[in-house]
Amino acid sequence: MAKALLGHVGGPDPRMVSEMRRLQQRIRDLEAELIRLQAQNDALAAQTRDEARGRMQEREPALT
């Protein structure tokens, strides 16, 4: 336990700080990718809805 306390008192480990920065950047990159994919998915869903509506309007009326 003394070694753990000594390491903690000695200040942050540069390798740990570097790894933390790398991971934070990776999180920002993944969040940006998620936003891009959600926007792309929304656009594709809207396009699919529009195409479905167009097909519904092209159908001939049913005989009564």
Side-chain angles (χ1 to χ4, degrees):
M1 178 144 172
K3 287 183 181 181
L5 290 174
L6 183 61
H8 180 69
V9 173
D13 180 6
R15 293 172 296 174
M16 183 74 80
V17 172
S18 174
E19 180 69 4
M20 184 68 80
R21 286 186 182 136
R22 186 187 70 78
L23 291 172
Q24 288 171 338
Q25 182 60 48
R26 180 71 175 137
I27 289 170
R28 284 190 295 271
D29 293 344
L30 289 171
E31 287 172 339
E33 179 74 3
L34 177 63
I35 291 168
R36 185 188 68 77
L37 289 172
Q38 285 174 333
Q40 183 180 9
N41 187 52
D42 291 345
L44 289 171
Q47 180 182 357
T48 302
R49 280 191 305 271
D50 292 344
E51 289 173 359
R53 283 187 195 132
R55 283 192 301 272
M56 293 281 292
Q57 291 174 353
E58 291 173 0
R59 296 168 76 186
E60 294 182 16
L63 297 175
T64 56

